[in-house]
Amino acid sequence: MSNLDKFQNNGGIVLLDTKQLKTLLHIKGDATLWRYLKEGRIPQPRLIVSRSKRLWALDEVLSYLSKNKEGEI
């Protein structure tokens, strides 16, 4: 099972929370995620629910990574 298989669905937009995004990017710490966001290594979240709850669209993250540095973070 690839890392992306657990995030696939049968249509619509797949939203990732911070924990799922860290899993996708193979990072462990919140500080690393926020540093990547600040440095522009990952796209801005699509939806900000609260100060601690942010959601990213899977297709936007994958597209952003493929355009920037050929998928490397």
Side-chain angles (χ1 to χ4, degrees):
M1 174 192 260
S2 78
N3 201 26
L4 292 177
D5 289 341
K6 60 184 108 179
F7 300 115
Q8 300 298 329
N9 75 359
N10 293 326
I13 297 173
V14 178
L15 294 174
L16 307 174
D17 62 15
T18 54
K19 183 177 179 181
Q20 293 168 321
L21 184 60
K22 288 188 300 186
T23 299
L24 177 69
L25 300 175
H26 302 285
I27 58 176
K28 294 182 180 181
D30 288 334
T32 303
L33 180 68
W34 302 124
R35 186 177 72 245
Y36 284 0
L37 186 63
K38 183 179 178 182
E39 293 172 352
R41 294 183 182 195
I42 58 175
Q44 293 294 319
R46 169 167 280 201
L47 182 63
I48 300 174
V49 178
S50 68
R51 185 169 184 219
S52 62
K53 183 72 170 180
R54 296 165 191 221
L55 302 172
W56 286 262
L58 176 61
D59 58 341
E60 290 176 5
V61 172
L62 296 176
S63 174
Y64 189 88
L65 291 176
S66 69
K67 289 178 185 175
N68 297 319
K69 300 178 186 171
E70 292 75 43
E72 295 180 17
I73 297 180

